[in-house]
Each structure stands twice: as C-alpha cells, then as structure tokens.
Amino acid sequence: FMTVQGAVNFANSCGQSHEMVISVSPGVYEEQLYIRSKNHLTIRGAGKESTVIRFDNCNAYTDGVGSGVTSVPELGEAVGKAGGRSVVLAEDCDMLRFENLSLENTHGHGSQAETVYFNSDDGRLIAVNCNFTGEQDTVELKGWCLFRDCTLTGDVDFIWGYARTALFESCEIRSCENANGGYIVQARCESGDRGFVFLDCDITAESGVADGSVYLARSGGDGSCFDNVTYIGCRMGDHIADAGWYSSPAPNPSAPSGENGWKEYLSRNMSGMFLDVSSRYSGSRQISAQEYESRYKDAAAIFSDCPEGTDWVL
C-alpha cells in the first residue's frame, strides 16, 4: 500500500473482528487516519524515531472532533469539515493498538488540535513504545486506554476526555516549550470511573518552561462530569506548581474521595526524593496505602472494573 490509510481501508474490508496487523516501514507519512468500526487492528512501526505519521490539522481548519462520520468521501466529492480536527480519528473500535511509531499533529500553538481522538465509549486502545506529539489537546480519550513506555507532549489540556480508565504506565509526560501556565489533564469522567491514572511516570518539561508554571490538571467546570485524575509514584520536574492542581474552576467533587477527584500518592522529584506536598491545593488529596493497594498498585488493579477483564493489559 502507498498510504497507511489504504492499508486501514483494506483491513476494514476483511471484516470488523478479523485480526489484522499493518506493518509500517520507516519513513514520514504526511496523512490523516480514519479508522471506524474495526476491531483487533494493530498499526506497528519500525521504531518511534523511524516511523512517523503526521499532519497539520486543528479546529480552525476543521471545526469539531468529527464524530459520527460514517464514510470516507468518494473521489471527487467535497471533503468539507466533517472529518474532525485530529490526525487519527478512531470511532467504534475495540482493541486498536499502536506500536513502535510516532503520531504527530504539527499544527503548533493556538488551536485545539488532537493527534488522536479515540471515540469509542466501550472500546480498548493500547499504545506501546510510541510518541504522541502536539500542543493543545494532544490525545482525547474515551473507553479503556493503556499507554505503556510512551512519550506524550503538549501544553494545554494535552491529555483529556471522557475515559473510563486511561492508564499511562512508565511514560514520559512532557510539557512543551509553550506550556508556561499550562495544564496536563482535563478529565470529564463518570462517577466511580478510574479516569486518568499516571503510574510510575516522569513528568518533564522542555527547556524554557518556567518553574512552577504547569499544573497536573484543571477542571472543565462541568458539574455533571467528575475530575478523576490520579498520579501514583511519579517523578515531577520543577515546572510543576507547588499547588499541583489548578483551583479555578473548582473540581467536581470539591472534596475528593477514594473513587472520585484529584489524587496523588508518593510523588517524587526527578532525583527520586519525596516531594513536599504540604502546599497542594485543598481540593486534592493524598491517597492511603490501603487505597493504593486495592485500586492503583498495578495495571490489573487499575483495570479491575473493566468488563473485558484484565488479561489484555498484562
């Protein structure tokens, strides 16, 4: 195939549940990907520095996220703005897997510009040894998502969405040079969902990002959604504000519990020393050792409420 999308279209033609692997050779692929109603699809590169899929897209070009698009336009048909502002739009997919590649939205600063929008409420997404690069809204997630040994880069709400559980395990979460005053996460979860969990991650920044200028999360201010974000055993750079969490608007719930809200456990600096968390925002909390053991100690515990079990994350 001359394009990755061509291979994706062929995989779709083989049936929704037929397991397929697309091997992408080294190179830079300037294209968007549209994946709909395809399960058990793996897109595997030759290495995250060798295989790069990238495109310049943003909300100013294609207003909205593109959800509900049912087909790729026919040759000669007007594309319009229905395809959404992301580089990869995946809808109604389960067990979509990215390995050993980089996905980039090259638009830059100033507009919502997802690299990946995983629009699958009950689906599962797995990414291993990948780079996800953008600025505002780099990844937007629903369903059950696992990122392992990946690097995610951005500035404003660059990890966000409606995930039931999105685990970032042994990842680097990197604030880019435009991130002064930025925020890593904006969660819009259902009550009781694990939401966005960072386990044993490095929370880093590019040079030029001022100390104390970046926050672990901010709220979308929607009382119908829950701000479920948890950092477990992560190493945090000096760019993270002492308060940790942005206080305006206040999160939901304003007083976090073991299930809902902004939480942290055993945060360290980049040298491995425990952080002084005495100045953390009062709308967050440090979880207990018992809560850690029962809900957050590893991938199996974090995905214990997934209806498909936990074998797929091990």
Side-chain angles (χ1 to χ4, degrees):
F1 299 92
M2 297 301 293
T3 64
V4 182
Q5 183 66 57
V8 169
N9 292 348
F10 175 77
N12 270 82
S13 73
C14 295
Q16 181 176 7
S17 297
H18 187 70
E19 186 170 348
M20 302 287 286
V21 177
I22 298 171
S23 296
V24 188
S25 298
V28 177
Y29 298 79
E30 297 274 359
E31 59 177 299
Q32 295 174 271
L33 296 184
Y34 175 66
I35 309 168
R36 192 173 196 275
S37 300
K38 178 58 188 168
N39 301 335
H40 304 288
L41 175 65
T42 296
I43 300 178
R44 180 180 296 149
K48 60 183 180 180
E49 306 304 329
S50 301
T51 301
V52 179
I53 301 171
R54 69 187 187 190
F55 201 77
D56 176 0
N57 198 13
C58 70
N59 199 68
Y61 298 162
T62 50
D63 187 22
V65 295
S67 59
V69 178
T70 58
S71 64
V72 176
E74 296 294 329
L75 185 64
E77 181 182 340
V79 175
K81 290 190 173 184
R85 64 194 180 212
S86 61
V87 175
V88 179
L89 172 59
E91 290 196 302
D92 300 324
C93 297
D94 184 39
M95 291 303 288
L96 174 62
R97 186 178 182 100
F98 296 106
E99 297 179 1
N100 306 328
L101 51 77
S102 289
L103 293 166
E104 300 180 5
N105 192 323
T106 60
H107 177 72
H109 191 65
S111 181
Q112 291 178 278
E114 282 87 351
T115 298
V116 173
Y117 177 28
F118 186 66
N119 186 25
S120 300
D121 285 323
D122 298 313
R124 292 168 288 174
L125 168 69
I126 303 171
V128 179
N129 192 39
C130 293
N131 291 331
F132 297 87
T133 303
E135 294 206 17
Q136 185 170 345
D137 297 358
T138 303
V139 293
E140 180 181 356
L141 304 174
K142 293 182 178 179
W144 314 87
C145 305
L146 171 63
F147 293 76
R148 182 173 280 147
D149 299 318
C150 294
T151 298
L152 296 96
T153 303
D155 56 10
V156 177
D157 305 333
F158 62 96
I159 297 171
W160 81 288
Y162 311 81
R164 299 188 176 196
T165 301
L167 170 60
F168 302 84
E169 183 178 12
S170 301
C171 291
E172 181 183 359
I173 310 302
R174 181 188 298 165
S175 294
C176 66
E177 60 184 355
N178 289 319
N180 289 319
Y183 322 91
I184 295 175
V185 183
Q186 187 179 116
R188 301 181 182 186
C189 300
E190 297 291 331
S191 178
D193 285 343
R194 292 292 198 276
F196 294 82
V197 181
F198 300 83
L199 177 64
D200 190 31
C201 291
D202 290 327
I203 314 301
T204 68
E206 294 178 352
S207 61
V209 178
D211 290 353
S213 66
V214 175
Y215 293 84
L216 299 174
R218 69 168 174 172
S219 176
D222 184 347
S224 67
C225 299
F226 286 76
D227 294 279
N228 293 349
V229 183
T230 309
Y231 289 82
I232 303 292
C234 293
R235 293 159 295 279
M236 301 182 181
D238 293 337
H239 64 298
I240 298 299
D242 290 342
W245 312 83
Y246 196 69
S247 60
S248 181
N252 182 30
S254 56
S257 66
E259 291 188 346
N260 296 315
W262 288 342
K263 302 179 289 297
E264 219 174 327
Y265 186 68
L266 299 183
S267 295
R268 295 171 166 85
N269 63 23
M270 298 307 295
S271 299
M273 302 294 290
F274 288 115
L275 287 175
D276 178 1
V277 294
S278 60
S279 298
R280 287 300 198 239
Y281 168 56
S282 60
S284 68
R285 68 186 289 262
Q286 305 294 312
I287 69 171
S288 68
Q290 182 179 2
E291 289 168 334
Y292 164 75
E293 287 290 335
S294 64
R295 292 176 64 88
Y296 296 108
K297 68 177 180 178
D298 55 26
I302 292 166
F303 284 100
S304 60
D305 57 347
C306 177
E308 301 298 332
T310 59
D311 287 348
W312 63 280
V313 304
L314 301 177

